[in-house]
Amino acid sequence: MLMQLQGRALALLNKIAGAQWPDRLRLRKPIERWLYQGSKTSFSLMTQRGGQSRPRPASSANPSGLFDLTLSEDQRLLQDTLQQVAAELLRPAAADADHNARCPAELRASLAELGLTHYGVPQAHGGLADDAACVTGALLTETLAHGDVSLALVSLQGLSVANLLRRFATASAQAQWLPALLTENAPQIALALAEQQVLADPHRLRCRAERKGKGYVLSGSKAMLVGGAEASHLIVSAYADGEPALFIVERNSAGVSCRAQPAMGLKGAALAQVQLTKVRVPQAARLTDQHFAYQQLLDVLALGGCALAVGVAQAALDYVIPYVNDRHAFGEPISHRQGVAFPVANMAIELEGVRLLLWRACARIDQQQSFTREAYLARLQAEDKLMRIASDAVQLLGGHGFTQEHPVERWYRDVRGFAVLANSLVL
Amino acid sequence: MINLETPRKFRGLIAQARQVAGQYYRPISRKYDLAEHDYPKELDMLAALLDGMNAGSPESAGARTSKRQSSEHEEGVRNGSNLSTCLGIMELCWGDVGLLLAMPRQGLGNAAIAAVANDEQLKRFDGIWAAMAITEPDCGSDSAAIRTTAVRDGDHYVLNGEKIFVTSGARAGAVVVWATLDKGLGRAAIKSFVVEHGTPGMEVTRLEKKLGIKASDTAAIRFSDCRVPAENLLGNPEVDVAKGFAGVMETFDNTRPMVAAMAVGLAKASLDRARELLQDHCALDYRKPLLSVSHAEAQLYQLEAEWEASRLLTLKAAWMADNRLPNSKEASMAKAKAGRMATDVALKCVELCGLSGYGEDELLEKWARDAKILDIFEGTQQVQLLIVARRLLGKSSKELK
Ligand SMILES: Cc1cc2nc3c(=O)[nH]c(=O)nc-3n(C[C@H](O)[C@H](O)[C@H](O)COP(=O)(O)OP(=O)(O)OC[C@H]3O[C@@H](n4cnc5c(N)ncnc54)[C@H](O)[C@@H]3O)c2cc1C
């Protein structure tokens, strides 16, 4: 086991060591530091547990129970590294991705080399997920979304699927799919969960799976999924035997049709609609059993949306501050006026409030406590406050904010897609 | 290790404070709302009890026990008196903000003394009940513009000027007064003095009638050639133009999270009661999408989300103080958000409960009146936003006025 884990880290290191882009972007040093730390920690974790890979009980995750907002050494390094990835890899590619409505293949490959999927795969299956996985996931999601939310979504699909399988799939489904996610030619799995109906209620899915022989027949339609066009597989939510269930479906199965579904924003994520017409799948395609905690899936999806939108809102705040200091009107920087300065203050206040709600919910997940209430409240504040932040960002740039010379108009369009964000990423 | 749960070691304190709030404050809440300026004598016994508990345990439910950080270093993360004080206040203000403000020996002046007094002064003023007098008729938000003067005369300072809106100004044993040694030197010359009641030349001239927190007295005090012993000047008597205002302003970094905590406690009282009154109509299970619930349910959810965000911002600011991280910005962020949240929540709860919310049979209308002060004292909403904006934008108070 120990050997295997080290082997994993080495393989990951090797892959990045061979890649060109870290040098081009002066990212090699931070990435090396991060990998070193990552393998060191998981190594010491393993020795502590004498090679056992069972997660530590909740109590030991925070033995003192103290209120604490300090990131672990691991988390800080990961954040440092991904901040640079976001700034040097994602942000420069964001405008084109928005314009062309896709993430360039080369960028996709570079992002895959980061190996973020490891953070969602349990150590037993060769990954690095630990008992702070959800908080870590929220952090890295926010950090990447600061570069660009669409590209972050694309880069985090593997992690998201790993998280979904780890948290909700049956042991056999995990064994079948999780190790595969870490391989060179990992399946490209897209989440197909949201349905397009007004006043959509995820507890009233329209998509159905009827038992037939030894398998199921799936029918229904799913909207605004990320990476649908490029996917090899889809994970579809549907009612089966009267309860919600998840199925994995090959994208080119008979009866699956997919079309681009462009929207107001999130264009770089190449949103797609999928139609399932009497799609036959085997019994093994059902990833969940009767113990499936569907509500919890909805909750972690909402938190994924929060983390993504927090990243965008932070980007907006960081963009606005130097702008309003440099921009002059009426003989002084516009930031000298309260009509400008106060919205900036409020952006920071509300953003921090949402981030703390998000962290609380995620930390509760890591501690194996209930989190439905916390996720719900985080979502409410996120949807309301973060949209306001993106809107104020455009406002504070005036007419310039309305043009595509600045990214704020894109962030305005992206954050309005909260309903998509909250169906696209499992933390 | 990120954790935003209430630390286990404070659970006892919180339960204790909740008992006080529910069993002691609530039953007399309306009585002293109606009898403005009557002294809530029930508090004496409670204060004695709290003093005892404070003496018995370092982290008990006192409202204003925020002590100066001890200089000894401890390993790792700290959950100390700032956090425990805020948690205690939240519970007590679930009971009654006005009564908490009226608590003997828990005055804002006590917080100032705890924050800036030297060891000798700490000892000498131990057990005193001190109010805080900064505001003057012509200066509130702009506290650097105060006009009360202090002139050195032998072993004394001679104070002249008028202070208003002094919480517990008539009841406390002493008042911490801000006065300037030299109007020409601006902020740096402002010092604080402990002036004990009974000092000749100090006179309470009036008590305000107010919108809310009527259990707490709000006094105007005149100082006419009031001679105060020189050793009652808190902190450094030198005028250090470089360090300037920092000394006296530091207190706010600790007291603003406390006022935010008051707002959190009060809002929780309103929310809890509104939910009780609406329980047959609103089933809150945090599962249905907001778009599909009734309007009243949606409102309750939204208010709770605002409340929870404010609560976490407050705990963060207090946690930073406990861990000696500079927290001026975060203290003001918490105060800004919690201050406006409390008013919004309390007013909305009155609205949600209709005529029941408005009538004096319930305390909802009282809480909606009490709430407003929390967005005004210890720096108004706008003043907090100024502080936050200046920090974010790197602006001085001259540039961003
Ligand atoms: C019940 C009560 C108890 C109090 N207790 C105490 C106490 O114990 N000790 C004490 O010293 N004081 C106390 N105060 C005073 C309180 O702190 C002040 O009232 C408060 O700081 C505001 O000052 P002000 O009333 O002079 O308002 P002003 O300063 O006149 O402000 C009026 C309005 O203008 C806004 N404003 C002012 N300046 C700016 C600016 N630069 N930019 C934007 N807006 C601005 C303010 O936000 C406010 O909305 C108390 C007040 C009350 C009502």
Side-chain angles (χ1 to χ4, degrees), chain A residues 44-89:
Chain A
S44 65
L45 263 178
M46 296 305 294
T47 31
Q48 268 167 32
R49 293 180 207 157
Q52 296 285 305
S53 65
R54 234 177 297 124
R56 281 181 285 178
S59 55
S60 75
N62 182 358
S64 60
L66 291 183
F67 184 95
D68 191 9
L69 297 172
T70 6
L71 303 181
S72 69
E73 185 61 17
D74 263 7
Q75 289 168 334
R76 238 190 334 260
L77 277 166
L78 184 59
Q79 195 181 33
D80 277 359
T81 308
L82 294 185
Q83 259 162 10
Q84 298 189 46
V85 170
E88 312 205 16
L89 214 56

Short mmCIF file of all heavy atoms in Angstrom, two decimals, chain A residues 44-89:
data_model
loop_
_atom_site.label_atom_id
_atom_site.label_comp_id
_atom_site.label_asym_id
_atom_site.label_seq_id
_atom_site.Cartn_x
_atom_site.Cartn_y
_atom_site.Cartn_z
N SER A 44 3.58 10.36 5.57
CA SER A 44 3.58 10.30 7.03
C SER A 44 2.21 9.86 7.54
O SER A 44 2.10 9.16 8.54
CB SER A 44 3.98 11.64 7.63
OG SER A 44 3.02 12.61 7.31
N LEU A 45 1.18 10.23 6.82
CA LEU A 45 -0.17 9.76 7.17
C LEU A 45 -0.19 8.23 7.17
O LEU A 45 -0.69 7.59 8.09
CB LEU A 45 -1.18 10.24 6.13
CG LEU A 45 -1.95 11.48 6.47
CD1 LEU A 45 -2.88 11.83 5.31
CD2 LEU A 45 -2.76 11.23 7.73
N MET A 46 0.38 7.69 6.10
CA MET A 46 0.36 6.25 5.95
C MET A 46 1.12 5.57 7.07
O MET A 46 0.68 4.59 7.63
CB MET A 46 0.99 5.85 4.61
CG MET A 46 0.24 6.33 3.40
SD MET A 46 -1.47 5.82 3.40
CE MET A 46 -1.28 4.08 3.27
N THR A 47 2.30 6.13 7.41
CA THR A 47 3.08 5.46 8.45
C THR A 47 2.38 5.56 9.78
O THR A 47 2.35 4.62 10.55
CB THR A 47 4.51 6.05 8.55
OG1 THR A 47 4.43 7.42 8.18
CG2 THR A 47 5.47 5.34 7.65
N GLN A 48 1.77 6.74 10.03
CA GLN A 48 1.03 6.90 11.28
C GLN A 48 -0.01 5.79 11.44
O GLN A 48 -0.22 5.27 12.51
CB GLN A 48 0.27 8.21 11.29
CG GLN A 48 1.01 9.37 11.89
CD GLN A 48 0.30 10.65 11.55
OE1 GLN A 48 -0.92 10.68 11.42
NE2 GLN A 48 1.07 11.71 11.39
N ARG A 49 -0.66 5.53 10.35
CA ARG A 49 -1.75 4.56 10.45
C ARG A 49 -1.28 3.14 10.24
O ARG A 49 -2.10 2.24 10.09
CB ARG A 49 -2.78 4.87 9.37
CG ARG A 49 -3.48 6.17 9.60
CD ARG A 49 -4.45 6.36 8.50
NE ARG A 49 -4.68 7.78 8.29
CZ ARG A 49 -5.11 8.27 7.17
NH1 ARG A 49 -5.33 7.49 6.14
NH2 ARG A 49 -5.32 9.55 7.05
N GLY A 50 0.03 3.00 10.18
CA GLY A 50 0.57 1.66 9.97
C GLY A 50 0.04 1.05 8.69
O GLY A 50 -0.26 -0.13 8.63
N GLY A 51 -0.09 1.88 7.68
CA GLY A 51 -0.48 1.35 6.38
C GLY A 51 -1.98 1.18 6.22
O GLY A 51 -2.44 0.82 5.16
N GLN A 52 -2.72 1.45 7.27
CA GLN A 52 -4.18 1.37 7.13
C GLN A 52 -4.67 2.56 6.32
O GLN A 52 -4.22 3.67 6.54
CB GLN A 52 -4.84 1.44 8.51
CG GLN A 52 -4.50 0.26 9.40
CD GLN A 52 -5.24 -0.98 9.01
OE1 GLN A 52 -6.44 -0.97 8.93
NE2 GLN A 52 -4.52 -2.06 8.73
N SER A 53 -5.59 2.34 5.45
CA SER A 53 -6.02 3.47 4.64
C SER A 53 -7.44 3.92 5.00
O SER A 53 -8.05 4.66 4.29
CB SER A 53 -5.95 3.11 3.16
OG SER A 53 -6.87 2.10 2.89
N ARG A 54 -7.93 3.44 6.13
CA ARG A 54 -9.25 3.90 6.53
C ARG A 54 -9.18 5.36 6.96
O ARG A 54 -8.19 5.78 7.58
CB ARG A 54 -9.79 3.05 7.67
CG ARG A 54 -11.17 2.48 7.34
CD ARG A 54 -11.70 1.58 8.43
NE ARG A 54 -10.89 0.39 8.63
CZ ARG A 54 -10.36 0.07 9.81
NH1 ARG A 54 -10.54 0.85 10.85
NH2 ARG A 54 -9.66 -1.03 9.96
N PRO A 55 -10.19 6.15 6.65
CA PRO A 55 -10.13 7.54 7.08
C PRO A 55 -10.14 7.61 8.61
O PRO A 55 -10.74 6.78 9.27
CB PRO A 55 -11.40 8.16 6.50
CG PRO A 55 -12.27 7.03 6.12
CD PRO A 55 -11.39 5.84 5.90
N ARG A 56 -9.44 8.64 9.11
CA ARG A 56 -9.43 8.80 10.56
C ARG A 56 -10.83 9.16 11.04
O ARG A 56 -11.59 9.80 10.31
CB ARG A 56 -8.48 9.92 10.94
CG ARG A 56 -7.03 9.46 10.92
CD ARG A 56 -6.12 10.59 11.31
NE ARG A 56 -5.99 11.54 10.21
CZ ARG A 56 -5.28 12.65 10.31
NH1 ARG A 56 -4.69 12.96 11.44
NH2 ARG A 56 -5.18 13.48 9.29
N PRO A 57 -11.19 8.77 12.27
CA PRO A 57 -12.51 9.13 12.78
C PRO A 57 -12.64 10.65 12.90
O PRO A 57 -11.63 11.35 13.03
CB PRO A 57 -12.58 8.46 14.14
CG PRO A 57 -11.17 8.12 14.49
CD PRO A 57 -10.45 7.94 13.22
N ALA A 58 -13.87 11.11 12.86
CA ALA A 58 -14.13 12.55 12.80
C ALA A 58 -13.44 13.29 13.94
O ALA A 58 -12.90 14.36 13.74
CB ALA A 58 -15.62 12.81 12.85
N SER A 59 -13.45 12.72 15.11
CA SER A 59 -12.94 13.44 16.27
C SER A 59 -11.46 13.78 16.12
O SER A 59 -11.03 14.84 16.52
CB SER A 59 -13.16 12.62 17.54
OG SER A 59 -12.57 11.36 17.37
N SER A 60 -10.72 12.92 15.49
CA SER A 60 -9.29 13.18 15.42
C SER A 60 -8.96 14.22 14.35
O SER A 60 -7.86 14.72 14.29
CB SER A 60 -8.52 11.90 15.17
OG SER A 60 -8.68 11.52 13.82
N ALA A 61 -9.93 14.53 13.48
CA ALA A 61 -9.68 15.54 12.47
C ALA A 61 -9.41 16.89 13.13
O ALA A 61 -8.64 17.69 12.64
CB ALA A 61 -10.87 15.65 11.52
N ASN A 62 -10.06 17.15 14.23
CA ASN A 62 -9.83 18.38 14.97
C ASN A 62 -10.00 18.06 16.45
O ASN A 62 -11.04 18.33 17.03
CB ASN A 62 -10.84 19.44 14.51
CG ASN A 62 -10.61 20.77 15.21
OD1 ASN A 62 -9.73 20.88 16.06
ND2 ASN A 62 -11.40 21.75 14.88
N PRO A 63 -8.97 17.46 17.03
CA PRO A 63 -9.12 16.92 18.37
C PRO A 63 -9.50 17.98 19.40
O PRO A 63 -10.28 17.72 20.30
CB PRO A 63 -7.74 16.32 18.69
CG PRO A 63 -6.81 16.81 17.64
CD PRO A 63 -7.62 17.27 16.48
N SER A 64 -8.97 19.21 19.22
CA SER A 64 -9.25 20.24 20.22
C SER A 64 -10.63 20.86 20.03
O SER A 64 -11.16 21.47 20.93
CB SER A 64 -8.19 21.34 20.11
OG SER A 64 -8.25 21.88 18.80
N GLY A 65 -11.18 20.72 18.82
CA GLY A 65 -12.47 21.35 18.55
C GLY A 65 -12.40 22.85 18.53
O GLY A 65 -13.42 23.53 18.64
N LEU A 66 -11.23 23.42 18.39
CA LEU A 66 -11.09 24.87 18.42
C LEU A 66 -11.59 25.50 17.12
O LEU A 66 -11.43 24.94 16.05
CB LEU A 66 -9.63 25.27 18.64
CG LEU A 66 -9.03 24.95 20.01
CD1 LEU A 66 -7.60 25.47 20.08
CD2 LEU A 66 -9.87 25.56 21.11
N PHE A 67 -12.17 26.68 17.28
CA PHE A 67 -12.50 27.50 16.11
C PHE A 67 -11.19 27.87 15.46
O PHE A 67 -10.27 28.36 16.12
CB PHE A 67 -13.24 28.75 16.59
CG PHE A 67 -13.74 29.64 15.47
CD1 PHE A 67 -15.03 29.52 15.00
CD2 PHE A 67 -12.90 30.60 14.91
CE1 PHE A 67 -15.49 30.34 13.99
CE2 PHE A 67 -13.36 31.42 13.89
CZ PHE A 67 -14.66 31.29 13.44
N ASP A 68 -11.07 27.65 14.18
CA ASP A 68 -9.77 27.89 13.55
C ASP A 68 -9.94 28.20 12.06
O ASP A 68 -10.68 27.53 11.36
CB ASP A 68 -8.89 26.64 13.72
CG ASP A 68 -7.43 26.92 13.33
OD1 ASP A 68 -7.09 28.09 13.10
OD2 ASP A 68 -6.66 25.94 13.26
N LEU A 69 -9.24 29.22 11.61
CA LEU A 69 -9.31 29.58 10.20
C LEU A 69 -7.94 29.48 9.53
O LEU A 69 -7.69 30.09 8.50
CB LEU A 69 -9.86 31.01 10.05
CG LEU A 69 -11.29 31.19 10.55
CD1 LEU A 69 -11.69 32.66 10.56
CD2 LEU A 69 -12.26 30.40 9.68
N THR A 70 -7.05 28.69 10.12
CA THR A 70 -5.74 28.54 9.48
C THR A 70 -5.73 27.34 8.55
O THR A 70 -6.17 26.26 8.91
CB THR A 70 -4.61 28.32 10.51
OG1 THR A 70 -5.20 28.18 11.81
CG2 THR A 70 -3.66 29.46 10.54
N LEU A 71 -5.18 27.57 7.36
CA LEU A 71 -5.04 26.49 6.41
C LEU A 71 -3.87 25.61 6.83
O LEU A 71 -2.92 26.08 7.44
CB LEU A 71 -4.76 27.05 5.02
CG LEU A 71 -5.79 28.02 4.46
CD1 LEU A 71 -5.40 28.48 3.07
CD2 LEU A 71 -7.16 27.35 4.41
N SER A 72 -3.96 24.34 6.47
CA SER A 72 -2.83 23.45 6.73
C SER A 72 -1.71 23.81 5.75
O SER A 72 -1.92 24.47 4.75
CB SER A 72 -3.25 22.00 6.54
OG SER A 72 -3.49 21.75 5.17
N GLU A 73 -0.52 23.33 6.08
CA GLU A 73 0.64 23.56 5.22
C GLU A 73 0.35 23.07 3.80
O GLU A 73 0.62 23.76 2.81
CB GLU A 73 1.83 22.81 5.83
CG GLU A 73 3.14 23.03 5.15
CD GLU A 73 3.60 24.48 5.18
OE1 GLU A 73 3.07 25.26 5.99
OE2 GLU A 73 4.48 24.85 4.37
N ASP A 74 -0.23 21.89 3.71
CA ASP A 74 -0.62 21.32 2.42
C ASP A 74 -1.52 22.25 1.64
O ASP A 74 -1.34 22.49 0.45
CB ASP A 74 -1.45 20.05 2.66
CG ASP A 74 -0.61 18.81 2.57
OD1 ASP A 74 0.61 18.95 2.45
OD2 ASP A 74 -1.21 17.72 2.61
N GLN A 75 -2.53 22.73 2.34
CA GLN A 75 -3.54 23.57 1.68
C GLN A 75 -2.91 24.87 1.20
O GLN A 75 -3.23 25.36 0.12
CB GLN A 75 -4.70 23.84 2.63
CG GLN A 75 -5.55 22.59 2.87
CD GLN A 75 -6.53 22.76 4.02
OE1 GLN A 75 -6.31 23.55 4.94
NE2 GLN A 75 -7.61 22.00 3.99
N ARG A 76 -2.00 25.41 2.02
CA ARG A 76 -1.37 26.67 1.61
C ARG A 76 -0.52 26.50 0.36
O ARG A 76 -0.54 27.32 -0.55
CB ARG A 76 -0.54 27.24 2.75
CG ARG A 76 -1.00 28.64 3.14
CD ARG A 76 -0.08 29.34 4.09
NE ARG A 76 0.71 28.45 4.91
CZ ARG A 76 0.42 28.14 6.17
NH1 ARG A 76 -0.63 28.67 6.75
NH2 ARG A 76 1.20 27.34 6.86
N LEU A 77 0.23 25.40 0.33
CA LEU A 77 1.08 25.16 -0.83
C LEU A 77 0.24 24.94 -2.09
O LEU A 77 0.54 25.46 -3.16
CB LEU A 77 1.94 23.93 -0.58
CG LEU A 77 3.21 24.22 0.24
CD1 LEU A 77 3.82 22.93 0.73
CD2 LEU A 77 4.20 24.99 -0.63
N LEU A 78 -0.81 24.18 -1.90
CA LEU A 78 -1.70 23.91 -3.03
C LEU A 78 -2.28 25.22 -3.55
O LEU A 78 -2.32 25.49 -4.75
CB LEU A 78 -2.82 22.98 -2.55
CG LEU A 78 -3.82 22.48 -3.57
CD1 LEU A 78 -3.11 21.72 -4.67
CD2 LEU A 78 -4.83 21.56 -2.89
N GLN A 79 -2.69 26.06 -2.61
CA GLN A 79 -3.27 27.35 -2.97
C GLN A 79 -2.25 28.22 -3.72
O GLN A 79 -2.56 28.79 -4.77
CB GLN A 79 -3.73 28.05 -1.70
CG GLN A 79 -4.65 29.22 -1.94
CD GLN A 79 -5.04 29.88 -0.62
OE1 GLN A 79 -4.25 29.92 0.32
NE2 GLN A 79 -6.26 30.37 -0.55
N ASP A 80 -1.03 28.28 -3.19
CA ASP A 80 0.04 29.06 -3.84
C ASP A 80 0.23 28.62 -5.28
O ASP A 80 0.31 29.42 -6.20
CB ASP A 80 1.37 28.83 -3.12
CG ASP A 80 1.49 29.71 -1.90
OD1 ASP A 80 0.55 30.50 -1.65
OD2 ASP A 80 2.52 29.61 -1.21
N THR A 81 0.35 27.32 -5.44
CA THR A 81 0.62 26.78 -6.77
C THR A 81 -0.53 27.09 -7.72
O THR A 81 -0.32 27.57 -8.83
CB THR A 81 0.79 25.25 -6.68
OG1 THR A 81 1.75 24.96 -5.68
CG2 THR A 81 1.24 24.69 -8.01
N LEU A 82 -1.74 26.81 -7.24
CA LEU A 82 -2.88 26.98 -8.14
C LEU A 82 -3.17 28.46 -8.42
O LEU A 82 -3.73 28.79 -9.45
CB LEU A 82 -4.11 26.28 -7.56
CG LEU A 82 -3.96 24.75 -7.51
CD1 LEU A 82 -5.26 24.11 -7.05
CD2 LEU A 82 -3.54 24.18 -8.86
N GLN A 83 -2.77 29.33 -7.49
CA GLN A 83 -2.91 30.76 -7.77
C GLN A 83 -2.12 31.11 -9.02
O GLN A 83 -2.57 31.86 -9.88
CB GLN A 83 -2.40 31.58 -6.59
CG GLN A 83 -3.51 32.11 -5.71
CD GLN A 83 -3.02 32.54 -4.33
OE1 GLN A 83 -1.83 32.62 -4.08
NE2 GLN A 83 -3.95 32.83 -3.45
N GLN A 84 -0.94 30.53 -9.11
CA GLN A 84 -0.12 30.83 -10.28
C GLN A 84 -0.67 30.17 -11.53
O GLN A 84 -0.66 30.75 -12.61
CB GLN A 84 1.32 30.40 -10.01
CG GLN A 84 1.88 31.17 -8.83
CD GLN A 84 3.37 30.95 -8.65
OE1 GLN A 84 4.12 31.01 -9.61
NE2 GLN A 84 3.78 30.71 -7.42
N VAL A 85 -1.16 28.96 -11.37
CA VAL A 85 -1.79 28.30 -12.51
C VAL A 85 -2.96 29.14 -13.00
O VAL A 85 -3.14 29.37 -14.20
CB VAL A 85 -2.27 26.88 -12.13
CG1 VAL A 85 -3.13 26.28 -13.23
CG2 VAL A 85 -1.08 25.97 -11.82
N ALA A 86 -3.76 29.63 -12.06
CA ALA A 86 -4.93 30.42 -12.42
C ALA A 86 -4.51 31.70 -13.15
O ALA A 86 -5.10 32.08 -14.15
CB ALA A 86 -5.75 30.76 -11.18
N ALA A 87 -3.48 32.34 -12.62
CA ALA A 87 -3.08 33.63 -13.18
C ALA A 87 -2.36 33.48 -14.51
O ALA A 87 -2.53 34.30 -15.41
CB ALA A 87 -2.18 34.37 -12.19
N GLU A 88 -1.56 32.43 -14.64
CA GLU A 88 -0.71 32.35 -15.83
C GLU A 88 -1.23 31.40 -16.89
O GLU A 88 -0.80 31.46 -18.04
CB GLU A 88 0.71 31.97 -15.41
CG GLU A 88 1.13 32.85 -14.24
CD GLU A 88 2.62 33.02 -14.10
OE1 GLU A 88 3.33 32.71 -15.06
OE2 GLU A 88 3.04 33.47 -13.03
N LEU A 89 -2.10 30.50 -16.49
CA LEU A 89 -2.61 29.53 -17.46
C LEU A 89 -4.08 29.83 -17.80
O LEU A 89 -4.46 29.87 -18.96
CB LEU A 89 -2.48 28.14 -16.85
CG LEU A 89 -2.18 26.95 -17.76
CD1 LEU A 89 -0.92 27.18 -18.56
CD2 LEU A 89 -2.02 25.69 -16.91
#
